[in-house]
Amino acid sequence: MANDLIAVYPGTFDPITLGHEDVVRRAAQLFSQVIVAVAAGHHKKTMFSLEERMAMAREAVMAYPGVQVASFDGLMRDFVVARGAKAMVRGLRAVTDFDYEFQLAGMNRSLMPDVETVFLTPGDKYQFISSTFVREIATLGGEVDKFVSPAVNQRLLEKVSRLAGRIP
């Protein structure tokens, strides 16, 4: 483990998936502290509120010592610098993610020259999972229990039912 290095793993986590959890597990083995930074998501319309996404993320990472969950709004740079982090963790699922992530890493290096971006890939069985796919499948009535934890699956079922007007 790196000597007391703090890493930030930012995302919308709408919802947090088993792929996200796998990246957190891998990051926790490399850094003494990992902060799962849940974006307020003003640029995205999220299915879950910030509070709901934070609660799901906290539950998902509770088994990993040194991992905490915090929310952020505004520039990621400000969040990272305020916490003294020296690394940003980004998950890469496929080659299609790389171009965007590479550009983002370059921009972040320009904004935070002392912070490194570390790319981690989830295990093979999680590489195709995305929160977008999970939301779409759940909204259309499909089963997503193999892509998210049981607690997240339950929240998804309740949210979809509420959005469809089946639960007040």
Side-chain angles (χ1 to χ4, degrees):
M1 183 176 307
N3 19 331
D4 297 328
L5 288 181
I6 299 170
V8 173
Y9 178 31
T12 308
F13 304 107
D14 185 39
I16 192 164
T17 68
L18 294 178
H20 292 128
E21 290 183 43
D22 194 50
V23 169
V24 168
R25 181 186 61 77
R26 291 166 189 276
Q29 294 172 348
L30 298 172
F31 300 98
S32 58
Q33 185 179 355
V34 176
I35 303 169
V36 175
V38 182
H42 293 299
H43 63 288
K44 292 184 177 180
K45 179 162 177 22
T46 58
M47 175 182 271
F48 292 96
S49 71
L50 177 59
E51 294 74 23
E52 290 170 319
R53 290 180 285 127
M54 296 270 300
M56 287 185 283
R58 280 190 190 106
E59 189 169 314
V61 304
M62 67 173 28
Y64 306 110
V67 178
Q68 60 180 275
V69 176
S71 66
F72 76 95
D73 193 8
L75 277 179
M76 170 56 37
R77 177 205 171 279
D78 297 337
F79 182 90
V80 169
V81 170
R83 279 148 185 85
K86 292 297 178 190
M88 279 189 41
V89 171
R90 300 295 296 172
L92 285 179
R93 292 176 307 222
V95 174
T96 52
D97 289 343
F98 184 76
D99 186 48
Y100 171 77
E101 292 294 343
F102 184 77
Q103 290 176 44
L104 185 60
M107 185 60 69
N108 285 331
R109 179 170 287 134
S110 176
L111 294 171
M112 304 175 286
D114 296 335
V115 176
E116 292 297 329
T117 298
V118 177
F119 296 111
L120 296 176
T121 58
D124 293 347
K125 64 183 177 180
Y126 304 123
Q127 287 187 350
F128 62 92
I129 301 173
S130 80
S131 294
T132 301
F133 290 158
V134 167
R135 287 192 312 272
E136 286 181 26
I137 293 166
T139 301
L140 295 171
E143 295 179 8
V144 296
D145 57 321
K146 56 187 158 200
F147 310 129
V148 296
S149 69
V152 170
N153 189 48
Q154 184 59 42
R155 285 182 184 252
L156 266 168
L157 291 172
E158 291 168 6
K159 179 68 78 170
V160 167
S161 290
R162 197 171 302 115
L163 292 173
R166 293 186 292 250
I167 296 177

